């Protein structure tokens, strides 16, 4: 039971970090290649959007977050 919770939390943290990294790197990449920077920004936004959609789109997970918070 505890390992399933830890795996889920770790997956969310890694996905958030990956999406944020793609967004943060886009200005740095923009100096080298403008198109790759826009691609990185778009992918970061899509990753974060999908994470929130999968998390809050599930009725059970949404209820658990609203009832117990992010502990």
């Amino acid at each position: 039971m505890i390992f399933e919770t830890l795996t889920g939390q770790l997956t969310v943290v890694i996905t958030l970090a990956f999406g944020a990294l793609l967004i943060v790197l886009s200005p740095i990449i923009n100096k080298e290649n403008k198109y790759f920077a826009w691609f990185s920004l778009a992918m970061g936004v899509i990753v974060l959007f999908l994470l929130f959609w999968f998390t809050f789109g599930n009725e059970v997970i949404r209820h658990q977050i609203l009832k117990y918070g992010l502990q």
Side-chain angles (χ1 to χ4, degrees), residues 5-50:
T5 305
L6 282 173
T7 303
Q9 289 175 348
L10 196 59
T11 304
V12 169
V13 169
I14 289 171
T15 307
L16 274 172
F18 181 66
L21 179 68
L22 286 174
I23 292 172
V24 169
L25 284 179
S26 64
I28 297 169
I29 298 171
N30 196 19
K31 295 177 184 175
E32 298 295 325
N33 189 344
K34 187 182 296 187
Y35 299 112
F36 189 66
W38 278 106
F39 179 74
S40 174
L41 180 66
M43 285 290 103
V45 170
I46 289 172
V47 165
L48 291 179
F49 175 73
L50 286 176

Side-chain angles (χ1 to χ4, degrees), residues 44-60:
V45 170
I46 289 172
V47 165
L48 291 179
F49 175 73
L50 286 176
L51 174 70
F52 289 132
W53 183 42
F54 289 143
T55 302
F56 294 110
N58 188 336
E59 187 175 319
V60 175

